[in-house]
Amino acid sequence: MRLAFISDIHANLEALESVLADLEDKAVDDIYCLGDVVGYGANPNECVEIVSKRCKCVLLGNHDAVATGLLTTQHFNVHARIAIEWTAETLLPENKKILAAQPLAKTTDTLTMVHATPYQPGMWYYITSLEEAYFNFQSFDTKICLVGHTHIPMIIALDEEEIYVHQEKSIVFKERDNLRLLINIGSVGQPRDRNPESSYGILDTEEEKFTLHRVPYDIAKTQSKMKKIKMPDFLVNRLAEGR
Ligand code: ZN
């Protein structure tokens, strides 16, 4: 099986369409979405409709939770708050219903998937250090855990007691029984690792290989739509810089 993982689309339709087009010739069996389908971008309804149709499973992200009234804007900065208020007004009731019904986490025999952290996923913590990553390895039982939320793609490996950031974009874990992985697949719609291209991941369960991919999209088009709906300049400009 070849499984694709996308996350943090943030209502960026151009980015989502570019990633789905890139997946066309990648022969994937299923697509999983790790949440934050909406918030920041100009096309929340379109993104919810596409993702709910194309993905085998969609998880709840913190922006999805706020947009649907499950969570308050208490922990949002001013830019995120302006964006989510517009999103909440724009989302159709049926799409809010779809988002609000999504789970916080999904586990299979070999995989744990969650938007933020495997430790208390509903608290929306961030994994920003190896210490936090190490702590989170204690909160899932599978070999691999996939997350989003920080918008920074990263493969963290735990080999026996040694923890490190795997520097290549691919990792083969065949015949490496002691190796466990905590993988952030990055963001489709608002990358923040100084690379503005959309990020996503593919897991090949036969080859036992995981790869992070990047795809360019029409950033100028996304930005002009965001300007039209009066999103803060900070949110518009950051897309071109990937930060
Ligand atoms: Zn996000």
Side-chain angles (χ1 to χ4, degrees):
M1 287 259 273
R2 283 169 61 79
L3 308 175
F5 301 90
I6 61 175
S7 189
D8 297 273
I9 293 138
H10 286 292
N12 185 336
L13 182 61
E14 289 70 34
L16 177 60
E17 285 178 337
S18 289
V19 166
L20 293 175
D22 198 61
L23 282 171
E24 295 274 289
D25 58 359
K26 297 275 194 306
V28 297
D29 299 285
D30 288 317
I31 306 172
Y32 289 87
C33 175
L34 305 193
D36 274 5
V37 180
V38 303
Y40 301 136
N43 294 101
N45 286 304
E46 293 83 349
C47 289
V48 172
E49 285 154 20
I50 293 171
V51 163
S52 59
K53 205 184 299 165
R54 295 290 301 271
C55 296
K56 186 180 168 94
C57 167
V58 181
L59 299 182
L60 184 76
N62 53 321
H63 287 254
D64 307 325
V66 174
T68 54
L70 293 172
L71 195 68
T72 69
T73 56
Q74 192 194 344
H75 296 289
F76 274 25
N77 64 38
V78 61
H79 306 293
R81 193 170 301 161
I82 291 167
I84 213 69
E85 281 164 5
W86 178 88
T87 303
E89 283 168 24
T90 306
L91 265 179
L92 297 170
E94 58 264 38
N95 289 332
K96 276 190 187 171
K97 218 170 165 184
I98 290 173
L99 285 181
Q102 305 309 327
L104 281 169
K106 162 99 180 156
T107 310
T108 69
D109 290 349
T110 49
L111 299 175
T112 299
M113 289 168 266
V114 63
H115 180 68
T117 56
Y119 173 74
Q120 297 188 355
M123 293 302 289
W124 314 108
Y125 295 125
Y126 291 87
I127 299 171
T128 56
S129 67
L130 286 179
E131 287 76 18
E132 285 159 358
Y134 186 82
F135 174 76
N136 271 281
F137 268 106
Q138 326 304 319
S139 294
F140 64 96
D141 300 321
T142 53
K143 186 175 182 79
I144 300 172
C145 176
L146 297 141
V147 301
H149 199 39
T150 65
H151 300 205
I152 296 174
M154 193 176 288
I155 298 174
I156 298 171
L158 180 66
D159 196 350
E160 303 269 347
E161 280 303 292
E162 190 199 354
I163 188 165
Y164 56 92
V165 176
H166 179 78
Q167 297 296 344
E168 286 103 73
K169 63 187 181 70
S170 251
I171 186 161
V172 178
F173 46 93
K174 211 178 183 90
E175 286 159 24
R176 296 188 66 182
D177 290 344
N178 294 323
L179 188 71
R180 295 177 71 217
L181 301 170
L182 179 57
I183 301 172
N184 192 309
I185 57 171
S187 168
V188 168
Q190 196 201 74
R192 292 179 191 162
D193 61 336
R194 304 263 164 193
N195 175 354
E197 296 187 347
S198 297
S199 177
Y200 74 92
I202 290 183
L203 174 69
D204 190 311
T205 58
E206 268 105 72
E207 286 183 40
E208 297 188 52
K209 180 181 179 182
F210 182 89
T211 306
L212 289 167
H213 293 267
R214 301 306 285 254
V215 196
Y217 71 94
D218 191 344
I219 294 174
K221 187 175 174 186
T222 302
Q223 289 177 315
S224 77
K225 284 187 188 173
M226 289 172 74
K227 276 184 196 156
K228 219 172 272 174
I229 58 165
K230 298 188 169 55
M231 280 294 157
D233 285 344
F234 170 74
L235 295 178
V236 177
N237 295 337
R238 72 188 305 180
L239 292 181
E241 294 156 24
R243 63 168 183 91

